[in-house]
Amino acid sequence: MWQIIGAGAIGCLWAANLLRTGHKIQLISRKNSTLKTLYYQDLQGKKVIYDCPHSIKITDSSSPILVCVKAPQVKDALLQQRKYIGSQQVIILMHNGMGCAEQVAKLFPNNPIICATTANACLLTGPLNIQQTGLGITYLGPFNELAKPFSHLASTLNKAVANCHWRVDIKQKLWLKLMINIAINPLTAIFKVKNGELAKPSFQMHIKSVVAEAMPLLNKLNLGFNQTELITIINNVIIATATNHSSMNRDIHFQRTTENDYISGYLLKKASQYKIVTPLISSLHEQIKALENHSLTQLNND
Ligand code: PAF
Protein backbone atom coordinates (compact mmCIF):
# COMPACT_ATOMS: atom_id res chain seq x y z
CA MET A 1 0.00 0.00 0.00
CA TRP A 2 1.04 3.60 -0.73
CA GLN A 3 -0.26 6.64 1.13
CA ILE A 4 -0.07 9.86 -0.82
CA ILE A 5 -0.41 13.19 0.96
CA GLY A 6 -1.67 15.88 -1.41
CA ALA A 7 -4.36 15.54 -4.06
CA GLY A 8 -2.74 18.02 -6.46
CA ALA A 9 -1.55 17.19 -9.97
CA ILE A 10 1.56 15.23 -8.98
CA GLY A 11 -0.12 13.38 -6.08
CA CYS A 12 -2.96 12.32 -8.41
CA LEU A 13 -0.48 11.32 -11.14
CA TRP A 14 1.24 8.85 -8.80
CA ALA A 15 -2.10 7.70 -7.37
CA ALA A 16 -3.49 6.91 -10.83
CA ASN A 17 -0.38 5.09 -12.00
CA LEU A 18 0.09 3.12 -8.79
CA LEU A 19 -3.56 2.05 -9.04
CA ARG A 20 -3.01 1.17 -12.71
CA THR A 21 -0.13 -1.12 -11.74
CA GLY A 22 -2.18 -2.91 -9.09
CA HIS A 23 -1.18 -1.15 -5.88
CA LYS A 24 -3.52 -0.25 -3.07
CA ILE A 25 -3.35 3.46 -2.44
CA GLN A 26 -4.84 6.01 -0.12
CA LEU A 27 -4.96 9.67 -1.06
CA ILE A 28 -4.76 11.99 1.93
CA SER A 29 -5.82 15.61 1.88
CA ARG A 30 -6.55 18.31 4.44
CA LYS A 31 -10.24 18.59 3.85
CA ASN A 32 -12.71 15.78 4.24
CA SER A 33 -13.80 14.85 0.76
CA THR A 34 -16.54 12.62 -0.55
CA LEU A 35 -14.73 12.43 -3.91
CA LYS A 36 -13.49 8.91 -4.49
CA THR A 37 -13.19 8.84 -8.29
CA LEU A 38 -9.97 9.83 -9.97
CA TYR A 39 -10.10 10.93 -13.62
CA TYR A 40 -6.84 10.53 -15.51
CA GLN A 41 -6.05 11.47 -19.06
CA ASP A 42 -2.72 10.13 -20.32
CA LEU A 43 -0.41 11.68 -22.92
CA GLN A 44 -2.19 9.87 -25.77
CA GLY A 45 -5.49 11.41 -24.66
CA LYS A 46 -6.81 8.11 -23.27
CA LYS A 47 -9.15 8.72 -20.33
CA VAL A 48 -9.26 6.28 -17.42
CA ILE A 49 -11.34 6.40 -14.24
CA TYR A 50 -10.04 4.91 -10.99
CA ASP A 51 -11.71 4.19 -7.68
CA CYS A 52 -9.48 6.10 -5.33
CA PRO A 53 -9.73 5.78 -1.53
CA HIS A 54 -9.50 9.27 -0.07
CA SER A 55 -9.08 10.18 3.59
CA ILE A 56 -8.00 13.00 5.88
CA LYS A 57 -5.57 10.86 7.84
CA ILE A 58 -2.86 8.23 7.53
CA THR A 59 -4.48 4.89 8.33
CA ASP A 60 -1.50 2.58 7.95
CA SER A 61 1.59 3.27 10.03
CA SER A 62 4.04 1.11 8.07
CA SER A 63 3.55 1.62 4.32
CA PRO A 64 5.52 4.39 2.55
CA ILE A 65 4.17 7.93 2.63
CA LEU A 66 4.61 9.95 -0.54
CA VAL A 67 4.30 13.66 0.25
CA CYS A 68 3.28 15.61 -2.87
CA VAL A 69 2.21 18.96 -1.41
CA LYS A 70 4.13 22.12 -2.30
CA ALA A 71 7.23 22.96 -0.26
CA PRO A 72 5.61 25.66 1.95
CA GLN A 73 2.93 23.12 3.03
CA VAL A 74 5.13 20.05 3.68
CA LYS A 75 5.90 20.68 7.36
CA ASP A 76 2.29 21.48 8.31
CA ALA A 77 0.89 18.56 6.28
CA LEU A 78 3.16 16.13 8.17
CA LEU A 79 2.57 17.82 11.54
CA GLN A 80 -1.14 17.26 11.01
CA GLN A 81 -0.51 13.52 10.52
CA ARG A 82 2.17 13.22 13.21
CA LYS A 83 0.23 11.00 15.61
CA TYR A 84 -0.62 8.50 12.86
CA ILE A 85 2.88 8.17 11.41
CA GLY A 86 4.85 5.12 12.53
CA SER A 87 8.26 5.72 14.10
CA GLN A 88 10.04 3.90 11.27
CA GLN A 89 7.67 4.70 8.43
CA VAL A 90 9.36 5.86 5.21
CA ILE A 91 8.61 9.46 4.22
CA ILE A 92 9.23 10.46 0.59
CA LEU A 93 9.23 14.18 -0.22
CA MET A 94 8.46 15.12 -3.83
CA HIS A 95 8.21 18.85 -4.58
CA ASN A 96 10.00 21.79 -6.18
CA GLY A 97 12.59 23.50 -4.02
CA MET A 98 14.84 22.47 -1.13
CA GLY A 99 14.93 22.86 2.64
CA CYS A 100 11.89 20.80 3.63
CA ALA A 101 13.83 17.61 4.30
CA GLU A 102 15.81 19.40 7.04
CA GLN A 103 12.51 20.52 8.67
CA VAL A 104 11.01 17.02 8.38
CA ALA A 105 14.14 15.35 9.81
CA LYS A 106 13.78 17.51 12.95
CA LEU A 107 10.15 16.43 13.36
CA PHE A 108 10.78 12.74 12.56
CA PRO A 109 14.37 11.98 13.64
CA ASN A 110 13.93 8.18 13.46
CA ASN A 111 12.15 7.93 10.13
CA PRO A 112 13.86 7.15 6.83
CA ILE A 113 13.50 10.31 4.71
CA ILE A 114 13.79 10.14 0.94
CA CYS A 115 13.99 13.20 -1.34
CA ALA A 116 12.54 13.03 -4.82
CA THR A 117 12.34 15.28 -7.83
CA THR A 118 10.24 14.69 -10.92
CA ALA A 119 10.14 16.26 -14.36
CA ASN A 120 6.77 14.70 -15.21
CA ALA A 121 4.29 17.42 -16.07
CA CYS A 122 0.63 17.18 -15.17
CA LEU A 123 -2.34 19.54 -14.99
CA LEU A 124 -5.06 19.44 -12.35
CA THR A 125 -8.12 20.32 -14.42
CA GLY A 126 -10.57 19.87 -11.51
CA PRO A 127 -10.71 18.05 -8.16
CA LEU A 128 -9.21 14.53 -8.65
CA ASN A 129 -9.12 15.25 -12.36
CA ILE A 130 -5.73 15.27 -14.08
CA GLN A 131 -4.22 15.45 -17.49
CA GLN A 132 -0.63 14.37 -18.05
CA THR A 133 1.13 16.96 -20.22
CA GLY A 134 4.72 15.75 -20.32
CA LEU A 135 7.03 12.88 -19.56
CA GLY A 136 10.18 13.31 -17.52
CA ILE A 137 12.69 11.62 -15.29
CA THR A 138 12.06 11.08 -11.58
CA TYR A 139 14.94 10.69 -9.14
CA LEU A 140 14.72 9.46 -5.56
CA GLY A 141 17.51 9.20 -3.03
CA PRO A 142 18.23 9.05 0.69
CA PHE A 143 18.25 12.26 2.73
CA ASN A 144 19.40 10.42 5.86
CA GLU A 145 21.32 7.20 6.65
CA LEU A 146 18.06 5.46 7.65
CA ALA A 147 16.74 5.82 4.08
CA LYS A 148 19.71 4.14 2.38
CA PRO A 149 18.21 0.59 2.37
CA PHE A 150 15.07 1.71 0.49
CA SER A 151 16.27 1.82 -3.14
CA HIS A 152 13.68 -0.88 -4.00
CA LEU A 153 10.95 1.77 -3.63
CA ALA A 154 12.31 3.50 -6.74
CA SER A 155 11.93 0.20 -8.65
CA THR A 156 8.28 -0.07 -7.56
CA LEU A 157 7.58 3.52 -8.56
CA ASN A 158 9.40 2.96 -11.86
CA LYS A 159 6.85 0.30 -12.78
CA ALA A 160 4.07 2.84 -12.20
CA VAL A 161 5.63 5.89 -13.89
CA ALA A 162 8.51 5.05 -16.24
CA ASN A 163 11.96 6.59 -15.90
CA CYS A 164 12.17 6.64 -12.13
CA HIS A 165 15.64 6.08 -10.68
CA TRP A 166 17.42 5.78 -7.33
CA ARG A 167 20.41 8.09 -6.82
CA VAL A 168 22.60 7.90 -3.72
CA ASP A 169 23.87 11.38 -4.69
CA ILE A 170 20.32 12.82 -4.80
CA LYS A 171 21.64 16.21 -3.60
CA GLN A 172 23.17 16.83 -7.05
CA LYS A 173 19.81 16.14 -8.77
CA LEU A 174 17.95 18.35 -6.29
CA TRP A 175 20.37 21.22 -6.89
CA LEU A 176 20.05 20.77 -10.64
CA LYS A 177 16.25 21.09 -10.40
CA LEU A 178 16.72 24.00 -7.98
CA MET A 179 18.89 25.84 -10.53
CA ILE A 180 16.31 25.17 -13.28
CA ASN A 181 13.60 26.63 -11.04
CA ILE A 182 15.77 29.60 -9.97
CA ALA A 183 16.45 30.45 -13.61
CA ILE A 184 12.92 29.97 -14.94
CA ASN A 185 10.29 30.52 -12.25
CA PRO A 186 10.92 34.07 -10.93
CA LEU A 187 11.39 35.56 -14.43
CA THR A 188 8.19 33.95 -15.76
CA ALA A 189 6.27 35.18 -12.69
CA ILE A 190 7.64 38.74 -12.67
CA PHE A 191 7.23 39.30 -16.43
CA LYS A 192 4.01 37.23 -16.65
CA VAL A 193 5.25 35.09 -19.54
CA LYS A 194 5.19 31.43 -20.52
CA ASN A 195 8.42 29.45 -20.20
CA GLY A 196 9.18 29.64 -23.95
CA GLU A 197 9.53 33.46 -23.83
CA LEU A 198 12.73 32.99 -21.84
CA ALA A 199 14.48 31.86 -25.04
CA LYS A 200 14.49 35.55 -26.10
CA PRO A 201 17.90 37.32 -25.89
CA SER A 202 16.91 39.79 -23.14
CA PHE A 203 15.89 36.93 -20.81
CA GLN A 204 18.87 34.81 -21.87
CA MET A 205 21.17 37.54 -20.54
CA HIS A 206 19.44 37.31 -17.15
CA ILE A 207 19.62 33.51 -17.10
CA LYS A 208 23.35 33.53 -17.89
CA SER A 209 23.93 36.05 -15.09
CA VAL A 210 21.86 33.99 -12.62
CA VAL A 211 23.91 30.87 -13.38
CA ALA A 212 27.22 32.77 -13.27
CA GLU A 213 26.25 34.20 -9.89
CA ALA A 214 25.37 30.76 -8.49
CA MET A 215 28.55 29.04 -9.74
CA PRO A 216 30.87 29.98 -6.81
CA LEU A 217 28.36 28.41 -4.39
CA LEU A 218 27.76 25.33 -6.55
CA ASN A 219 31.54 24.85 -6.77
CA LYS A 220 31.94 25.32 -3.02
CA LEU A 221 29.35 22.57 -2.48
CA ASN A 222 31.28 20.28 -4.88
CA LEU A 223 28.22 19.55 -6.97
CA GLY A 224 30.25 19.02 -10.15
CA PHE A 225 28.30 21.46 -12.33
CA ASN A 226 29.74 23.01 -15.47
CA GLN A 227 28.45 26.53 -16.19
CA THR A 228 27.92 26.06 -19.96
CA GLU A 229 26.28 22.65 -19.49
CA LEU A 230 23.98 24.06 -16.81
CA ILE A 231 22.81 26.87 -19.14
CA THR A 232 22.19 24.28 -21.90
CA ILE A 233 20.13 22.09 -19.53
CA ILE A 234 18.06 25.11 -18.44
CA ASN A 235 17.46 26.10 -22.07
CA ASN A 236 16.43 22.54 -22.95
CA VAL A 237 13.76 22.74 -20.21
CA ILE A 238 12.65 26.13 -21.56
CA ILE A 239 12.21 24.59 -25.03
CA ALA A 240 10.55 21.38 -23.75
CA THR A 241 8.06 23.36 -21.62
CA ALA A 242 7.75 26.39 -23.95
CA THR A 243 3.94 26.46 -23.93
CA ASN A 244 3.64 25.94 -20.14
CA HIS A 245 3.23 28.50 -17.42
CA SER A 246 5.72 27.82 -14.63
CA SER A 247 4.32 26.93 -11.22
CA MET A 248 5.45 30.29 -9.79
CA ASN A 249 3.80 32.16 -12.66
CA ARG A 250 0.53 30.38 -11.81
CA ASP A 251 0.92 30.97 -8.06
CA ILE A 252 1.36 34.71 -8.58
CA HIS A 253 -1.46 34.78 -11.13
CA PHE A 254 -3.89 33.05 -8.73
CA GLN A 255 -2.58 35.02 -5.69
CA ARG A 256 -1.26 31.92 -3.91
CA THR A 257 1.84 31.52 -1.75
CA THR A 258 4.80 30.65 -3.97
CA GLU A 259 7.76 28.32 -3.40
CA ASN A 260 10.06 31.38 -3.46
CA ASP A 261 11.64 30.73 -0.03
CA TYR A 262 12.39 27.12 -0.96
CA ILE A 263 13.77 27.99 -4.42
CA SER A 264 15.83 31.23 -4.55
CA GLY A 265 15.45 31.59 -0.78
CA TYR A 266 17.22 28.25 -0.18
CA LEU A 267 20.16 29.25 -2.40
CA LEU A 268 20.39 32.65 -0.67
CA LYS A 269 20.59 31.01 2.77
CA LYS A 270 23.38 28.69 1.60
CA ALA A 271 25.21 31.55 -0.15
CA SER A 272 25.13 33.68 3.00
CA GLN A 273 26.57 30.77 5.04
CA TYR A 274 29.59 30.84 2.70
CA LYS A 275 29.59 34.67 2.48
CA ILE A 276 28.99 34.49 -1.30
CA VAL A 277 27.14 37.48 -2.75
CA THR A 278 24.32 36.88 -5.24
CA PRO A 279 22.68 40.29 -5.91
CA LEU A 280 20.62 39.31 -8.97
CA ILE A 281 19.15 36.15 -7.36
CA SER A 282 18.48 38.19 -4.23
CA SER A 283 16.68 40.86 -6.27
CA LEU A 284 14.52 38.23 -8.04
CA HIS A 285 13.65 36.76 -4.63
CA GLU A 286 12.69 40.21 -3.31
CA GLN A 287 10.56 40.97 -6.38
CA ILE A 288 8.57 37.73 -5.92
CA LYS A 289 8.14 38.53 -2.22
CA ALA A 290 6.78 41.95 -3.15
CA LEU A 291 4.32 40.40 -5.65
CA GLU A 292 3.17 37.91 -2.98
CA ASN A 293 2.67 40.67 -0.41
CA HIS A 294 0.79 42.76 -2.95
CA SER A 295 -1.57 39.79 -3.61
CA LEU A 296 -2.10 39.34 0.14
CA THR A 297 -2.97 43.01 0.60
CA GLN A 298 -5.37 42.80 -2.35
CA LEU A 299 -7.01 39.67 -0.93
CA ASN A 300 -7.42 41.34 2.49
CA ASN A 301 -8.96 44.43 0.88
CA ASP A 302 -11.42 42.43 -1.22
O1 PAF B 1 8.00 24.81 -11.50
C1 PAF B 1 7.78 24.51 -12.68
O2 PAF B 1 6.90 25.03 -13.33
C2 PAF B 1 8.63 23.43 -13.32
O3 PAF B 1 9.44 22.86 -12.34
C3 PAF B 1 9.47 23.90 -14.51
C4 PAF B 1 10.59 22.91 -14.75
C5 PAF B 1 10.05 25.26 -14.31
C6 PAF B 1 8.66 23.86 -15.78
O4 PAF B 1 7.59 24.75 -15.81
PDB file of all heavy atoms in Angstrom, residues 33 38-39 53 60 206 221 251:
ATOM      1  N   SER A  33     -13.209  14.804   2.095  1.00  0.00           N
ATOM      2  CA  SER A  33     -13.803  14.854   0.761  1.00  0.00           C
ATOM      3  C   SER A  33     -14.610  13.595   0.490  1.00  0.00           C
ATOM      4  O   SER A  33     -14.238  12.501   0.900  1.00  0.00           O
ATOM      5  CB  SER A  33     -12.688  14.980  -0.267  1.00  0.00           C
ATOM      6  OG  SER A  33     -13.213  14.829  -1.552  1.00  0.00           O
ATOM      7  N   LEU A  38     -11.093   9.083  -9.406  1.00  0.00           N
ATOM      8  CA  LEU A  38      -9.965   9.826  -9.969  1.00  0.00           C
ATOM      9  C   LEU A  38     -10.008   9.736 -11.490  1.00  0.00           C
ATOM     10  O   LEU A  38     -10.036   8.638 -12.061  1.00  0.00           O
ATOM     11  CB  LEU A  38      -8.669   9.209  -9.405  1.00  0.00           C
ATOM     12  CG  LEU A  38      -7.326   9.701  -9.896  1.00  0.00           C
ATOM     13  CD1 LEU A  38      -7.182  11.200  -9.704  1.00  0.00           C
ATOM     14  CD2 LEU A  38      -6.210   8.994  -9.118  1.00  0.00           C
ATOM     15  N   TYR A  39     -10.045  10.884 -12.149  1.00  0.00           N
ATOM     16  CA  TYR A  39     -10.097  10.934 -13.616  1.00  0.00           C
ATOM     17  C   TYR A  39      -8.697  11.250 -14.129  1.00  0.00           C
ATOM     18  O   TYR A  39      -8.104  12.257 -13.737  1.00  0.00           O
ATOM     19  CB  TYR A  39     -11.068  12.033 -14.081  1.00  0.00           C
ATOM     20  CG  TYR A  39     -12.489  11.771 -13.659  1.00  0.00           C
ATOM     21  CD1 TYR A  39     -12.939  12.170 -12.391  1.00  0.00           C
ATOM     22  CD2 TYR A  39     -13.388  11.119 -14.506  1.00  0.00           C
ATOM     23  CE1 TYR A  39     -14.243  11.922 -11.982  1.00  0.00           C
ATOM     24  CE2 TYR A  39     -14.693  10.875 -14.100  1.00  0.00           C
ATOM     25  CZ  TYR A  39     -15.104  11.278 -12.842  1.00  0.00           C
ATOM     26  OH  TYR A  39     -16.394  11.032 -12.442  1.00  0.00           O
ATOM     27  N   PRO A  53      -9.455   5.510  -2.945  1.00  0.00           N
ATOM     28  CA  PRO A  53      -9.725   5.784  -1.530  1.00  0.00           C
ATOM     29  C   PRO A  53      -9.118   7.120  -1.103  1.00  0.00           C
ATOM     30  O   PRO A  53      -7.978   7.420  -1.445  1.00  0.00           O
ATOM     31  CB  PRO A  53      -9.054   4.613  -0.809  1.00  0.00           C
ATOM     32  CG  PRO A  53      -8.910   3.557  -1.842  1.00  0.00           C
ATOM     33  CD  PRO A  53      -8.740   4.264  -3.155  1.00  0.00           C
ATOM     34  N   ASP A  60      -2.429   3.697   7.828  1.00  0.00           N
ATOM     35  CA  ASP A  60      -1.499   2.576   7.946  1.00  0.00           C
ATOM     36  C   ASP A  60      -0.149   3.146   8.374  1.00  0.00           C
ATOM     37  O   ASP A  60       0.387   4.042   7.712  1.00  0.00           O
ATOM     38  CB  ASP A  60      -1.393   1.884   6.582  1.00  0.00           C
ATOM     39  CG  ASP A  60      -0.474   0.684   6.632  1.00  0.00           C
ATOM     40  OD1 ASP A  60       0.768   0.884   6.588  1.00  0.00           O
ATOM     41  OD2 ASP A  60      -0.972  -0.441   6.729  1.00  0.00           O
ATOM     42  N   HIS A 206      19.740  37.471 -18.567  1.00  0.00           N
ATOM     43  CA  HIS A 206      19.437  37.309 -17.146  1.00  0.00           C
ATOM     44  C   HIS A 206      19.802  35.908 -16.677  1.00  0.00           C
ATOM     45  O   HIS A 206      20.382  35.720 -15.611  1.00  0.00           O
ATOM     46  CB  HIS A 206      17.935  37.496 -16.908  1.00  0.00           C
ATOM     47  CG  HIS A 206      17.557  38.903 -16.599  1.00  0.00           C
ATOM     48  ND1 HIS A 206      17.390  39.845 -17.565  1.00  0.00           N
ATOM     49  CD2 HIS A 206      17.326  39.516 -15.412  1.00  0.00           C
ATOM     50  CE1 HIS A 206      17.069  40.996 -16.989  1.00  0.00           C
ATOM     51  NE2 HIS A 206      17.022  40.817 -15.695  1.00  0.00           N
ATOM     52  N   LEU A 221      30.082  23.755  -2.965  1.00  0.00           N
ATOM     53  CA  LEU A 221      29.348  22.572  -2.481  1.00  0.00           C
ATOM     54  C   LEU A 221      29.768  21.299  -3.229  1.00  0.00           C
ATOM     55  O   LEU A 221      29.205  20.228  -3.001  1.00  0.00           O
ATOM     56  CB  LEU A 221      27.836  22.784  -2.632  1.00  0.00           C
ATOM     57  CG  LEU A 221      27.230  23.936  -1.824  1.00  0.00           C
ATOM     58  CD1 LEU A 221      25.764  24.160  -2.204  1.00  0.00           C
ATOM     59  CD2 LEU A 221      27.333  23.671  -0.326  1.00  0.00           C
ATOM     60  N   ASP A 251       1.169  30.582  -9.455  1.00  0.00           N
ATOM     61  CA  ASP A 251       0.915  30.965  -8.059  1.00  0.00           C
ATOM     62  C   ASP A 251       0.698  32.472  -7.941  1.00  0.00           C
ATOM     63  O   ASP A 251      -0.221  32.917  -7.249  1.00  0.00           O
ATOM     64  CB  ASP A 251       2.077  30.515  -7.155  1.00  0.00           C
ATOM     65  CG  ASP A 251       2.063  29.006  -6.916  1.00  0.00           C
ATOM     66  OD1 ASP A 251       0.992  28.387  -7.087  1.00  0.00           O
ATOM     67  OD2 ASP A 251       3.116  28.446  -6.573  1.00  0.00           O
TER      68      ASP A 251
END
